């Protein structure tokens, strides 16, 4: 394999903080609660792992922290499948390990409901097993978050491993931010009769302020600096710079001494089984059309979102041979698009200068962005579409019994 475009940081700041950071107690509902003041009679939450002296031999801990919408599902699905292979390499592999993330984020709104006593006990047992029965650790969760307390707690939980690496997956900013928009407005499963907002088009949602908010507080550049404050080694894995495939390149170039898992992933890739898993994406344009038709009173009672989407697809794609991009479009304005492109170029050049200068870097990024400007960053203009009498007649003529046969 050719050298990876990985970014490795040096040690900065202090190392682990030897202090008790959580004071909690179990109440009658077996939920762990935070304590604002120390109470000598209060039972302290035991450490996730007991204090221990650093091991004499190298023990690797690889912690993949996402962020979300960077192919985390693919990696975690592969990890689950390959648990036994990692065990042969001496790794306790767990992905996704969201339970640990829940219990580290004590400031999270979901902490008290998700980090129950049973969950905490399970985490303790699994980490104890990882420490005592395995040499190395490989875990993944995009839920570790961006709170300082959680980061400190993570460092504390990893004390038994003396070679800790934090992995952040890099996906180009313009692709990532469009995927974030799609995730926020997945509403297909909500029945039409229960209403649901007609979620905004990407053109209305993707303001300059929203773009900068994402870039400064949710994107890889933020998480990179955030984890550098605590950990000696922080690396970025570039999903656009792989030789064989996302999973085999991750296994072979990121995970030290994972020979069995690496070789198996390469074999699967050669056979065409890349292990790439895509989250099911909703037909956002078709769904917005369905909800607009419902709001206009054009649909027969009993119609579901799925039924309407199937009918739209049948008429537009099968009968007319068109796509949603042939309908009236509403796109992100040019000023905001210019900002998104600028930030996309800036972050890739900063973190991967050699790759950026290659044909797969800036040239490919700009080409992919030009295509996305006319597709990814556009939605069907439903207001204009529903001025068309033919489309209104189409929705009025839609029948439940016919929809079930589509």
């Amino acid at each position: 394999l050719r050298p990876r475009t990985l970014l490795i940081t040096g040690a900065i700041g202090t190392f682990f903080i030897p202090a008790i950071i959580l004071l909690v107690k179990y109440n009658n509902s077996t939920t762990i609660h935070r304590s604002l003041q120390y109470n000598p009679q209060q039972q302290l939450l035991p450490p996730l792992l007991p204090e221990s002296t650093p091991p004499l031999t190298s023990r690797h801990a690889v912690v993949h922290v996402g962020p979300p919408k960077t192919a985390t599902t693919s990696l975690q699905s592969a990890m689950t499948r390959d648990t036994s292979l990692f065990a042969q390499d001496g790794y306790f592999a767990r992905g996704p390990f969201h339970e640990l993330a829940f219990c580290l984020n004590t400031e999270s709104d979901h902490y008290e409901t998700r980090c129950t006593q049973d969950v905490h006990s399970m985490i303790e047992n699994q980490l104890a097993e990882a420490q005592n029965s395995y040499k190395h650790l490989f875990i993944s969760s995009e839920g570790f978050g961006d709170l300082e307390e959680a980061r400190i707690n993570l460092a504390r939980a990893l004390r038994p491993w003396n070679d800790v690496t934090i992995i952040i997956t890099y996906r180009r900013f313009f692709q990532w931010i469009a995927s974030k928009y799609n995730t926020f407005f997945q509403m297909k499963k909500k029945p039409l009769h229960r209403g649901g907002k007609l979620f905004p088009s990407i053109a209305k949602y993707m303001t300059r302020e929203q773009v900068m908010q994402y870039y400064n507080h949710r994107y890889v550049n933020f998480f990179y600096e955030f984890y550098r404050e605590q950990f000696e080694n922080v690396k970025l894995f570039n999903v656009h710079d792989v030789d064989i495939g996302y999973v085999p390149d991750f296994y072979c170039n990121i995970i030290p001494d994972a020979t069995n898992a690496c070789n198996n992933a390469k074999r699967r890739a050669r056979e065409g089984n890349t292990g790439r898993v895509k989250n099911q994406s909703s037909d956002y344009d078709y769904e917005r059309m369905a909800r607009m038709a419902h709001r206009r009173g054009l649909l027969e009672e009993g119609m579901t979102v799925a039924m309407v989407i199937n009918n739209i697809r049948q008429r537009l794609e099968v009968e007319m041979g068109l796509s949603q991009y042939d309908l009236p479009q509403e796109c992100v304005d040019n000023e905001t698009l210019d900002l998104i492109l600028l930030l996309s170029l800036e972050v890739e050049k900063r973190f991967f200068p050699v790759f950026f200068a290659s044909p797969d870097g800036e040239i490919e990024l700009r080409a992919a962005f030009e295509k996305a400007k006319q597709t990814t960053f556009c939605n069907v203009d439903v207001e204009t579409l529903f001025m068309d009498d033919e489309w209104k007649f189409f929705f009025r003529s839609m029948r439940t019994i016919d929809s079930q046969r589509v």
Side-chain angles (χ1 to χ4, degrees), residues 303-401:
M303 294 292 294
T304 66
V305 173
M307 289 179 182
V308 180
I309 287 177
N310 287 339
N311 277 275
I312 295 172
R313 180 177 290 109
Q314 175 69 20
R315 183 191 187 212
L316 187 66
E317 298 178 14
V318 178
E319 297 174 9
M320 302 176 68
L322 303 175
S323 74
Q324 67 266 40
Y325 302 115
D326 295 303
L327 300 175
Q329 297 290 296
E330 183 181 13
C331 301
V332 175
D333 66 87
N334 288 331
E335 185 178 3
T336 302
L337 288 171
D338 289 343
L339 174 62
I340 293 172
L341 175 60
L342 177 65
L343 296 175
S344 300
L345 294 168
E346 177 183 281
V347 72
E348 186 159 299
K349 183 177 181 179
R350 173 194 173 191
F351 287 121
F352 307 103
V354 175
F355 174 76
F356 184 75
S358 74
D360 294 328
E362 180 181 5
I363 296 174
E364 175 60 28
L365 189 158
R366 289 182 178 274
F369 183 78
E370 284 301 312
K371 181 178 180 180
K373 285 170 59 175
Q374 307 300 322
T375 54
T376 305
F377 289 101
C378 296
N379 288 126
V380 172
D381 185 344
V382 291
E383 295 290 347
T384 300
L385 183 73
F386 278 81
M387 295 179 183
D388 187 320
D389 290 336
E390 289 188 10
W391 275 104
K392 288 190 287 187
F393 177 77
F394 165 73
F395 286 109
R396 287 196 188 99
S397 304
M398 202 177 294
R399 293 293 178 264
T400 304
I401 188 169

Side-chain angles (χ1 to χ4, degrees), residues 53 136 270 273 291 366 376:
T53 57
H136 310 302
R270 287 193 296 268
N273 300 318
R291 294 194 180 280
R366 289 182 178 274
T376 305

